[in-house]
Amino acid sequence: MSINPLPSSSVETLYLDHHAWLRGWLNRRLNNSSEACDLAQDTFVNVLSGDHVARIRAPRPFLATIARRLLAHRHRRHLLETAYLDALAAQAEELMPSPEQRLAALQALQEIDRALAGLPRAVREAFLLAQLEGLSYEQIAGRLQVSTSSVKQYLTRANRQCLFALTP
Amino acid sequence: MTPTFRASSADQAAEWLTTLMASDCGATDRQRWQQWRAADADHERAWQHLEAVCARLKGLQGGAAYQALAAVQPSPRRRQAIAMLMGAGVLRCGPANASGEARGESAGSIRI
């Protein structure tokens, strides 16, 4: 972890001046005051972990942008979780992972999803098919309707971005 | 996570993984890969990272993990958030201070 030379006073001012407003803003979207409180907290933690505080020109639009992204992130986690549980429900009983395994798998899915962010759809898909489904490059080429050499290019790109963004 | 190897070693390791997972990977490829690993301790560290992460992914095989990730749409890169903020005039352009510039990418990313 690098230590940011944070102007703590401006973070404090930001918090004091806008925390209540942000909670209200989030509560109008979530209609749940305890979740709004958590996400407001997360938003300030996020601001603290960046080094943008000294450059903020418009505090409320800035906080709202971060909060909106956290909302989107929360929504995405929910989508992944639902899709994962649906897929498990369709599997044979004896393949069902334990609750601890499910939690670890969900954590890993979120990390992979984040590590793949920004990659084109075909590159992402090629990576998932190779690494999680164990398909051959020829099978992937057939599915994606591209050449095997394209599959190799996709995989090198995704391997580079994703596998080095993940921790073992 | 602080990488303990050079970006160029990571680039090459990613290429080697693609080569080794191909059905047409032969003995010559494997020999060249071993030579690459032995040529530089930095190469080996990058390769060890890949192997360890791949082992973690292996634990997710079996359909459900793939189906879940395939079901959600690809998301934009997080780094784009900062460009958006600057475009909207919410943040001033340029680093907040001299050290911000030196940090390069970390100065341009919002961690979410």
Side-chain angles (χ1 to χ4, degrees), chain A residues 76 112-128 153-163 165, chain B residues 72-78 80:
Chain A
R76 200 168 172 84
I112 295 167
D113 186 49
R114 252 180 281 175
L116 289 168
L119 290 174
R121 181 182 302 271
V123 174
R124 185 180 192 273
E125 182 68 10
F127 177 84
L128 296 176
Q153 282 173 23
Y154 294 172
L155 289 176
T156 298
R157 184 174 170 191
N159 287 340
R160 176 65 178 92
Q161 177 175 317
C162 181
L163 298 178
Chain B
V72 298
Q73 300 296 309
S75 65
R77 206 169 169 76
R78 277 167 289 154
Q80 285 163 4

Side-chain angles (χ1 to χ4, degrees), chain B residues 12-63:
Chain B
Q12 291 162 27
E15 274 184 50
W16 273 117
L17 183 66
T18 304
T19 302
L20 293 167
M21 285 175 69
S23 55
D24 61 3
C25 174
T28 318
D29 287 321
R30 270 189 283 273
Q31 202 182 344
R32 284 183 46 234
W33 162 63
Q34 292 291 5
Q35 285 166 356
W36 171 80
R37 283 175 69 177
D40 191 330
D42 202 66
H43 295 171
E44 180 60 20
R45 279 196 297 276
W47 185 258
Q48 289 299 330
H49 174 88
L50 272 198
E51 276 201 345
V53 170
C54 285
R56 188 177 171 209
L57 294 184
K58 276 229 158 32
L60 290 170
Q61 284 181 0

Side-chain angles (χ1 to χ4, degrees), chain A residues 46 51 54-55 57 76 91 111 118 121 124-125 131-132 137-138 156 159-161 163 166-167, chain B residues 1 11 18 21 23 49 56 61-62 66 69 73 75 77 85-86 90 92 94 103 110-112:
Chain A
N46 214 275
D51 60 355
R55 288 191 286 148
R57 207 182 255 169
R76 200 168 172 84
Q91 282 187 355
E111 287 176 39
R121 181 182 302 271
R124 185 180 192 273
E125 182 68 10
Q131 297 289 355
L132 297 181
Y137 295 178
E138 291 75 17
T156 298
N159 287 340
R160 176 65 178 92
Q161 177 175 317
L163 298 178
L166 293 173
T167 50
Chain B
M1 178 196 62
D11 291 344
T18 304
M21 285 175 69
S23 55
H49 174 88
R56 188 177 171 209
Q61 284 181 0
Y66 168 77
L69 282 164
Q73 300 296 309
S75 65
R77 206 169 169 76
L85 287 171
M86 283 177 178
V90 173
R92 277 190 289 274
R103 271 198 299 281
I110 286 186
R111 296 198 297 164
I112 292 180

Side-chain angles (χ1 to χ4, degrees), chain A residues 10-146:
Chain A
S10 39
V11 175
E12 246 175 73
T13 310
L14 194 72
Y15 189 89
L16 289 172
D17 290 353
H18 305 294
H19 180 254
W21 169 82
L22 183 64
R23 260 174 52 188
W25 188 91
L26 282 162
N27 196 29
R28 282 196 297 282
R29 278 154 186 83
L30 291 164
N31 205 17
N32 179 328
S33 62
S34 86
E35 279 196 47
C37 191
D38 284 351
L39 265 181
Q41 216 58 35
D42 289 350
T43 304
F44 280 97
V45 168
N46 214 275
V47 171
L48 269 168
S49 68
D51 60 355
H52 309 293
V53 174
R55 288 191 286 148
I56 298 171
R57 207 182 255 169
R60 290 189 177 179
F62 175 79
L63 291 170
T65 304
I66 308 257
R68 218 175 269 123
R69 292 188 64 82
L70 289 176
L71 280 171
H73 196 215
R74 178 176 161 279
H75 178 62
R76 200 168 172 84
R77 190 166 58 222
H78 178 70
L79 287 180
L80 264 178
E81 185 170 0
T82 307
Y84 179 63
L85 294 178
D86 284 352
L88 284 183
Q91 282 187 355
E93 193 90 24
E94 61 268 24
L95 291 173
M96 191 61 78
S98 69
E100 293 77 21
Q101 287 171 322
R102 282 207 297 271
L103 204 65
L106 262 173
Q107 172 69 30
L109 291 182
Q110 282 168 42
E111 287 176 39
I112 295 167
D113 186 49
R114 252 180 281 175
L116 289 168
L119 290 174
R121 181 182 302 271
V123 174
R124 185 180 192 273
E125 182 68 10
F127 177 84
L128 296 176
L129 288 171
Q131 297 289 355
L132 297 181
E133 290 288 89
L135 260 58
S136 72
Y137 295 178
E138 291 75 17
Q139 288 170 314
I140 296 170
R143 281 238 204 153
L144 299 180
Q145 302 282 297
V146 296

